[in-house]
Amino acid sequence: MLWAAAGVVACGFLVVLEIAARRYGEPGPITNQVKALVLAPKPGPLYGGLALMMVVLTWRQRFVAAGAAIGIDVVLLLVRWAVDARMTGGHAFGTGALWVMLGFAVVAVTRRTGNERVLLLKGVGLGLLMVAARKTGDTWLFITAKTRPTVLDPYVATADHALGNPSWLAGRIVKATDPFSSHLLQLVYGQLAVAAVVVAFYQLRNVVVERRFPSHHLVRTFLVIGLLGPGIYMLFPVVGPVFAYGPGASGTGGVEWAAANLWPHTWPSITTPHPMTYDGITPRNCMPSLHTAWAVAIYIHSRRAPRLLRYAGTFWLIATLAATLGFGYHYGVDLVAGVVFVLTIEAALRSLERGWDRPGIQLVVYGTTVFIALLLSYRYLPMEMARYPEVSGPLLILVMTSVIYGYVRTTRIPAQRSGSPPAPEADAARGGAIAGEHEGPAPTATPAPELR
């Protein structure tokens, strides 16, 4: 019933976004998804979704699914070349993965029964959620640009003086070390979803054996971040320093809309901020920094993984923070808000999983209060923050650190109550999930059925 209700809500939201996008003359997420059945979309989200779906399959079924997806893409590629069909964004692959996921949905309905049907449908739903999230996110960013003609960048840029304008400093470092740094950071920044799929696949690796999903995993956190974050974009529209105070991401396109061409060589002066008009194309997707939030979530969920994956999670977090600042996509205060945002969400999800207790409730309330206070201070106290950076800067770091400390302390409470931390073998049996136990006793492992 819960999955059915969530599906109905998701479908209704997609319909609303489709209608809203068409009002501005653009196709919505449903239309774009239907086009992906024929035209080649970006392959990353689709094959990432296919990888997530494979957690409910046996190894034989995984090879069959991957081979079928690649085979379909090869056939469609030859057909497109033969008829000179247009490829979306110049990509050649991706459609096959979508067809395979839909095919397994048909198999679940027609060839499975009981718990096996539910498990396979959950796997398909998990994969399709990643695909739908990408399409929905693109449409939502388009809507933010159309419905928010003015942005609040002058307020955020002024408040950022409290931290010493880190985006300007990072931008100079990236330009001084170009092209190596820019190519590396762009790879990390653009492939955040790949890192998430790797960590999620590790956490869910035992689903096919245990025949159930862990009670908490990275995908849940990612989806909640993607659900709540874009709504804040509408309340606090910001485009970022490279757009508001520089040439734009393309190098020249945003100069006519920028308040001044300052980034990254000249700091913006401390003057009374005011809303500024910007174009109807650039997404207002800076406050909070969701890239930071997602990178922090990957870091958290990789802590109980093998050493190599832990190192990779740490590297991805550091490189993502460097990219968000070095490319001028975010101000420093965006990152502070993003860290508080994700830790509050993660605390709420963990409390929901293990049962709401007093420390969990206190942390969620405290994190929410800090996050709201940050947004209000950026909007209504930027001049005071810029005039007294020796006070406001350490205070920003202090409140962020207090949320981090509260999160670490709260998540250790279950282990402290049990008297000792969980053994590595128990972690492995839980599929690498870093939050709590499975709900109820673990079922006896049974061989997974082969694809018929």
Side-chain angles (χ1 to χ4, degrees):
M1 291 294 293
L2 185 61
W3 277 80
V8 171
V9 172
C11 290
F13 183 63
L14 289 176
V15 171
V16 171
L17 281 182
E18 182 74 27
I19 295 174
R22 287 189 173 277
R23 288 187 60 184
Y24 293 102
E26 290 290 329
I30 298 177
T31 301
N32 288 330
Q33 195 61 69
V34 173
K35 288 181 178 179
L37 292 171
V38 179
L39 300 177
K42 292 181 179 180
L46 288 168
Y47 274 94
L50 179 62
L52 286 180
M53 186 204 73
M54 287 181 180
V55 299
V56 301
L57 305 180
T58 63
W59 278 107
R60 177 179 177 275
Q61 293 169 353
R62 291 170 184 173
F63 285 122
V64 171
I70 295 173
I72 292 173
D73 274 329
V74 170
V75 172
L76 290 177
L77 176 62
L78 296 176
V79 172
R80 293 185 187 111
W81 279 349
V83 300
D84 195 26
R86 179 178 63 88
M87 295 183 187
T88 304
H91 300 286
F93 291 91
T95 306
L98 180 58
W99 277 107
V100 169
M101 284 188 282
L102 295 177
F104 271 95
V106 174
V107 170
V109 174
T110 60
R111 305 294 297 275
R112 296 287 186 266
T113 59
N115 186 58
E116 297 301 329
R117 171 184 291 175
V118 172
L119 186 68
L120 185 53
L121 286 177
K122 284 183 178 181
V124 173
L126 193 67
L128 291 178
L129 268 177
M130 182 174 182
V131 178
R134 180 61 180 264
K135 300 294 183 182
T136 302
D138 292 343
T139 302
W140 188 265
L141 294 181
F142 169 77
I143 292 175
T144 64
K146 294 298 183 182
T147 59
R148 293 295 181 266
T150 60
V151 296
L152 302 179
D153 282 78
Y155 294 88
V156 182
T158 303
D160 210 39
H161 280 78
L163 298 176
N165 301 101
S167 180
W168 269 254
L169 176 61
R172 294 175 192 174
I173 294 175
V174 170
K175 286 185 177 294
T177 55
D178 191 65
F180 171 77
S181 61
S182 60
H183 289 166
L184 175 63
L185 295 180
Q186 189 61 55
L187 176 65
V188 172
Y189 191 85
Q191 301 302 323
L192 186 66
V194 175
V197 168
V198 172
V199 175
F201 193 88
Y202 174 79
Q203 288 185 318
L204 303 175
R205 68 193 185 282
N206 287 334
V207 169
V208 67
V209 176
E210 299 178 356
R211 313 312 293 164
R212 66 187 301 173
F213 281 83
S215 54
H216 181 54
H217 50 83
L218 177 62
V219 179
R220 296 178 66 195
T221 305
F222 254 61
L223 291 176
V224 175
I225 292 173
L227 178 65
L228 298 180
I232 303 172
Y233 293 161
M234 303 293 285
L235 301 175
F236 209 112
V238 180
V239 293
V242 72
F243 297 99
Y245 295 96
S250 63
T252 57
V255 174
E256 64 271 19
W257 293 98
N261 192 6
L262 304 176
W263 188 88
H265 300 293
T266 306
W267 286 8
S269 58
I270 301 177
T271 57
T272 303
H274 55 82
M276 60 178 285
T277 303
Y278 209 79
D279 65 20
I281 301 174
T282 305
R284 279 62 166 153
N285 61 340
C286 281
M287 182 62 69
S289 170
L290 295 195
H291 257 80
T292 297
W294 281 318
V296 170
I298 291 173
Y299 173 82
I300 292 173
H301 282 262
S302 64
R303 290 309 85 197
R304 290 191 180 178
R307 181 178 300 177
L308 179 61
L309 203 54
R310 294 200 305 270
Y311 288 162
T314 303
F315 166 76
W316 221 268
L317 174 60
I318 296 173
T320 299
L321 297 180
T324 57
L325 295 174
F327 291 143
Y329 295 153
H330 289 281
Y331 303 91
V333 291
D334 298 343
L335 274 61
V336 173
V339 172
V340 174
F341 181 69
V342 65
L343 292 181
T344 304
I345 290 176
E346 184 70 18
L349 291 175
R350 286 173 179 267
S351 295
L352 182 65
E353 171 231 350
R354 69 170 182 259
W356 288 94
D357 54 12
R358 184 175 180 179
I361 295 174
Q362 288 177 336
L363 178 58
V364 172
V365 172
Y366 178 68
T368 303
T369 302
V370 170
F371 181 73
I372 294 174
L374 289 174
L375 296 187
L376 291 177
S377 64
Y378 300 160
R379 179 62 176 82
Y380 296 107
L381 299 174
M383 290 296 293
E384 288 73 12
M385 295 175 67
R387 287 171 180 164
Y388 306 103
E390 65 279 2
V391 175
S392 56
L395 186 59
L396 284 176
I397 301 301
L398 178 62
V399 295
M400 181 185 71
T401 304
S402 68
V403 176
I404 297 174
Y405 172 76
Y407 174 81
V408 173
R409 183 175 180 273
T410 302
T411 53
R412 286 179 177 175
I413 285 178
Q416 292 172 353
R417 287 177 179 170
S418 64
S420 61
E425 293 80 4
D427 276 343
R430 284 197 298 266
I434 67 168
E437 299 292 338
H438 290 297
E439 299 172 353
T444 303
T446 56
E450 295 296 326
L451 179 64
R452 296 191 293 273

